[in-house]
Amino acid sequence: MLTELTVENLAIIERTQVSFGAGFTVLTGETGAGKSLLIDALQLLLGARADTDLIRTGAQRLSVTGIFAGEEVTREVLASGRSQAKISGKSANVATLREFARAKVDLCGQHDHQSLLLPELHLGYLDSYVGLPIQEALEGYQAALSAFREADRRLHDLRRGVQDREQRLDLLRYQIQEIESAAPLVGEYEEHELRLSQLQHAERLAEATRTALQVLTDEEGAAIDRVGQAFKLIDAVVRYDESLSELSDSLASAQSVLNDLAYRLRDYTESLEADPQEANNRQARLDLLKRLRRKYGESESAILEFWDRAQRDLDMISDADATEEELAATRLIAERQLTQMAARVTELRQQGAEAFAADTAR
């Protein structure tokens, strides 16, 4: 439903905006008042040929914007002859506008095209007339069709794969064994990267944390001591001015935070050590995980998902005869279900067509 139409620089129209409510809207006025220009604007919006002669004299472009049930459609025609359009903020070509128009607007005139004459839309009209029963039947049909296509694809893939079954089995076994040997753990790549960075830069990290610790605790005029002194000074005079109690509490809190930071810096510094062997081991593990990522997925989760699919494929191909029988049976069941649902849709449409004919005959 068109709820709003805005037109700028179209023929004699400098700018106008029309809002449409629910129900029937009539545009009236004398000849030449511009009623047909609004139809021209709407046609432009819905894919009509862009004619620069429509641009208002003295203007560089004309613009038409329509709101259709919340979707904004804009069409601009430039004096240079170029035209551009957008649907909900995304660029659209003329063909897209026309396709959009077929679902939203029906312009009916003495010689205008009418969507009621389009055979490809007739089923949609009939289904709308039938209502909920046909919607449920169509949903069931689509579900049955999806199940049939999936069963057919799996059976086709299996039969096609039998020709190179042994090669496929060898490849799957190799891939499974390679992943199982590596035994990747989710999140370990990032853990190895972090630890390797710590090992490779242990000296710089230790120097930075030791210096920071000295600034807090060891040097003359250390931060913790100065904050402690400030706290004692303020705390001693709080009894003379209660408004200083908040400052005293904040200094006490700051002292506690600095002490905690000092403990953590000391623990971290003591934990640092250069370990070339661990660094080599971490690097080797990262290299292995990188190779697996290049081959099987972008993360350890993806690699393990690949392993799971490969294992299932291996099991399926290893028992190809039994699996083929099962898939063929599944496909047959899906085909029967699809046939039943198609028959149900056809039956409902036939009944709907007969009911519609009877209604129109009254």
Side-chain angles (χ1 to χ4, degrees):
M1 174 182 173
L2 177 65
T3 58
E4 187 175 283
L5 182 67
T6 304
V7 183
E8 296 183 11
N9 297 322
L10 173 63
I12 62 173
I13 298 176
E14 181 176 1
R15 188 182 190 282
T16 189
Q17 186 176 73
V18 184
S19 297
F20 302 94
F24 186 56
T25 300
V26 177
L27 300 178
T28 63
E30 298 178 357
T31 301
K35 301 185 297 297
S36 62
L37 290 178
L38 293 180
I39 300 300
D40 292 337
L42 187 57
Q43 288 178 322
L44 272 176
L45 198 62
L46 301 176
R49 187 177 67 86
D51 190 344
T52 55
D53 290 341
L54 291 174
I55 300 176
R56 186 170 180 270
T57 302
Q60 297 300 310
R61 66 176 182 86
L62 72 82
S63 172
V64 183
T65 300
I67 307 296
F68 297 86
E71 290 186 273
E72 182 177 278
V73 183
T74 301
R75 179 86 180 274
E76 289 188 346
V77 180
L78 307 181
S80 62
R82 292 182 55 217
S83 169
Q84 57 189 17
K86 291 183 178 180
I87 299 177
S88 296
K90 297 181 179 180
S91 297
N93 54 31
V94 172
T96 303
L97 285 178
R98 290 172 181 164
E99 186 66 25
F100 177 87
R102 292 173 64 176
K104 301 293 184 182
V105 176
D106 199 359
L107 288 175
C108 302
Q110 186 175 4
H111 303 292
D112 289 331
H113 185 68
Q114 299 181 28
S115 62
L116 286 175
L117 301 180
L118 295 174
E120 61 268 28
L121 299 181
H122 290 176
L123 278 180
Y125 295 140
L126 178 58
D127 291 345
S128 296
Y129 176 79
V130 175
L132 182 60
I134 193 68
Q135 293 177 16
E136 294 177 343
L138 285 171
E139 290 174 0
Y141 173 81
Q142 289 297 329
L145 179 60
S146 297
F148 171 76
R149 286 175 173 171
E150 175 64 15
D152 186 64
R153 180 194 64 78
R154 292 181 63 189
L155 182 60
H156 175 73
D157 289 347
L158 177 64
R159 288 172 173 170
R160 184 181 58 186
V162 169
Q163 298 175 2
D164 57 348
R165 179 171 175 270
E166 291 303 322
Q167 291 183 3
R168 177 65 174 157
L169 285 171
D170 288 343
L171 176 60
L172 287 170
R173 291 188 184 109
Y174 171 79
Q175 291 172 331
I176 291 170
Q177 192 276 331
E178 184 177 31
I179 295 174
E180 287 180 346
S181 296
L185 301 174
V186 175
E188 69 165 305
Y189 188 93
E190 292 73 16
E191 177 187 340
H192 290 308
E193 274 192 323
L194 176 60
R195 181 55 180 159
L196 184 60
S197 178
Q198 292 175 344
L199 292 168
Q200 291 175 336
H201 304 91
E203 282 191 29
R204 292 191 61 183
L205 290 169
E207 180 182 355
T209 53
R210 275 197 302 268
T211 303
L213 186 59
Q214 289 171 359
V215 170
L216 286 176
T217 61
D218 296 343
E219 293 183 347
E220 183 179 351
I224 290 179
D225 293 338
R226 285 181 174 271
V227 171
Q229 292 170 6
F231 167 70
K232 290 179 181 178
L233 289 170
I234 299 301
D235 189 59
V237 296
V238 165
R239 56 184 175 176
Y240 305 123
D241 185 351
E242 285 297 328
S243 66
L244 291 175
S245 61
E246 184 177 349
L247 287 175
S248 177
D249 292 342
S250 296
L251 286 169
S253 176
Q255 188 178 24
S256 176
V257 169
L258 290 176
N259 280 321
D260 180 63
L261 287 173
Y263 286 128
R264 291 165 61 187
L265 281 169
R266 186 176 293 107
D267 290 343
Y268 182 86
T269 304
E270 292 174 354
S271 70
L272 290 172
E273 59 178 336
D275 189 339
Q277 185 58 49
E278 183 184 357
N280 290 337
N281 293 340
R282 296 271 183 177
Q283 186 63 62
R285 183 63 177 175
L286 280 173
D287 292 341
L288 174 60
L289 292 173
K290 286 178 183 177
R291 287 198 300 273
L292 291 177
R293 285 186 170 198
R294 285 195 296 268
K295 296 171 69 173
Y296 303 121
E298 297 180 353
S299 67
E300 286 69 62
S301 294
I303 294 170
L304 292 172
E305 288 174 5
F306 182 95
W307 174 87
D308 184 62
R309 290 195 302 271
Q311 188 66 60
R312 283 188 278 112
D313 289 346
L314 179 64
D315 294 340
M316 182 180 70
I317 297 175
S318 297
D319 192 15
D321 294 337
T323 303
E324 182 174 357
E325 291 179 3
E326 293 171 2
L327 287 179
T330 300
R331 181 186 182 278
L332 180 60
I333 294 172
E335 185 177 14
R336 289 173 178 170
Q337 182 68 22
L338 179 61
T339 301
Q340 292 174 0
M341 294 309 304
R344 176 60 178 161
V345 170
T346 301
E347 178 187 7
L348 287 171
R349 282 174 171 167
Q350 181 63 38
Q351 293 173 355
E354 293 172 356
F356 180 78
D359 286 345
T360 55
R362 292 193 184 97

